[in-house]
Amino acid sequence: MRSILIAGNWKMNMGPKETADFFAQLDDSAQKNIEGVDAAVCPPFVSLSAAFSARKSGSAVKIGAQNVHFEDNGAYTGEISTSMLNELGCDFVILGHSERREYFGEDDAIINKKVKKALAAGVTPIVCVGEVLAERKENRHFDVVKEQTAGSLAGLSADELKKIVIAYEPVWAIGTGETASPEQAQEMHAFIRKELAAQFGEEAAATVRILYGGSMKPGNADELLKQPDVDGGLIGGASLKPSDFSQLVAIAAAQ
Ligand code: PGA
């Protein structure tokens, strides 16, 4: 019922030229319309135009941004507005990534404003939540993720919830080569869905896609995607290589 989403988070990698090269090298098979699978890449802001130009006409790969501001246009030096993302045609925006939380001081209240702004603009937010290693070791990971989820999504209606994507990204698994086991991922995804059901109702909770993120790659994607509540991946490192990204899309297509 929920289609799989394979979304690449390029972080601060891939300038316009590398972005054009990526699309030139990407397998046609990863760009065709696959029933039940969505593929997307989220380049840095300066490479978004290059991504739209380089994407072959008819390609099904969607394009997203990695952040957006919660205000309309105006005096916010260094920021980007939803109207700018709309003008380019961005489908997605990643919000609340742990790197934004850790290095740029974003908290649930700020992320919540951004989620509402993106929804109002018709750009699908990919809302990230996840615990750090110390929190897991202290067995506080469920509480942390519950609080982040509730705070980031505060005030949304059930209909709005259906329009968002959630990414569970245990911080200890991001860029470390260490991955949550399929059981750990499923356990947390099921927990998030249960919390969403309590707040927004079963139907909305059953609709929302929950991606796993944290060192997902072709070698481990199949067993993660086989979990009933894992609806795709938010992929950093492995999404930078066209061959790996193509393989991830193929693995999703085979589910
Ligand atoms: P990674 O990053 O796949 O390189 O671990 C995932 C993410 O941070 O979104």
Side-chain angles (χ1 to χ4, degrees):
M1 165 192 64
R2 296 183 295 267
S3 55
I4 297 176
L5 172 59
I6 297 294
N9 172 12
W10 287 0
K11 310 191 180 187
M12 198 171 70
N13 299 294
M14 309 281 265
K17 187 180 172 311
E18 288 169 302
T19 297
D21 291 346
F22 176 92
F23 278 94
Q25 290 164 25
L26 193 59
D27 277 4
D28 285 346
S29 60
Q31 305 204 53
K32 65 173 201 246
N33 222 326
I34 305 168
E35 169 114 35
V37 178
D38 292 320
V41 292
C42 302
F45 290 134
V46 293
S47 300
L48 284 170
S49 285
F52 280 101
S53 310
R55 183 175 65 171
K56 290 191 187 117
S57 77
S59 167
V61 176
K62 297 183 162 73
I63 294 170
Q66 297 174 20
N67 188 19
V68 78
H69 195 53
F70 51 77
E71 293 289 354
D72 294 327
N73 306 288
Y76 298 97
T77 301
E79 293 293 329
I80 299 285
S81 69
T82 49
S83 62
M84 295 173 194
L85 300 187
N86 280 150
E87 191 175 332
L88 286 176
C90 287
D91 297 291
F92 293 101
V93 60
I94 300 170
L95 294 176
H97 191 278
S98 60
E99 288 147 19
R100 301 289 323 163
R101 292 175 187 263
E102 184 179 350
Y103 305 135
F104 303 99
E106 292 196 17
D107 59 15
D108 292 333
I110 292 173
I111 295 157
N112 182 240
K113 285 193 203 176
K114 293 184 173 193
V115 170
K116 288 176 176 159
K117 190 74 187 171
L119 281 169
V123 183
T124 301
I126 301 176
V127 183
C128 305
V129 295
E131 80 284 358
V132 300
L133 187 58
E135 291 161 341
R136 182 165 277 266
K137 282 190 169 154
E138 292 158 14
N139 209 25
R140 290 197 292 122
H141 45 298
F142 291 113
D143 289 344
V144 168
V145 168
K146 179 178 174 170
E147 190 183 324
Q148 288 176 342
T149 307
S152 306
L153 307 182
L156 263 54
S157 67
D159 279 344
E160 285 174 324
L161 183 79
K162 291 182 194 168
K163 294 188 189 131
I164 72 160
V165 174
I166 292 176
Y168 168 57
E169 299 206 307
V171 179
W172 47 272
I174 295 179
T176 57
E178 194 172 333
T179 319
S181 68
E183 295 74 25
Q184 285 172 320
Q186 169 57 25
E187 185 185 36
M188 184 60 87
H189 285 225
F191 172 78
I192 294 170
R193 205 179 298 286
K194 187 178 77 116
E195 289 299 320
L196 294 175
Q199 205 184 330
F200 299 96
E202 295 282 348
E203 193 216 341
T207 308
V208 68
R209 290 188 283 189
I210 306 177
L211 314 184
Y212 168 78
S215 301
M216 195 190 236
K217 50 185 183 276
N220 60 25
D222 183 56
E223 51 178 6
L224 286 160
L225 293 175
K226 283 211 158 37
Q227 303 306 311
D229 287 291
V230 176
D231 306 313
L234 183 58
I235 299 129
S239 73
L240 299 172
K241 289 194 212 115
S243 57
D244 282 358
F245 187 76
S246 300
Q247 274 190 63
L248 287 162
V249 174
I251 292 164
Q255 298 301 311

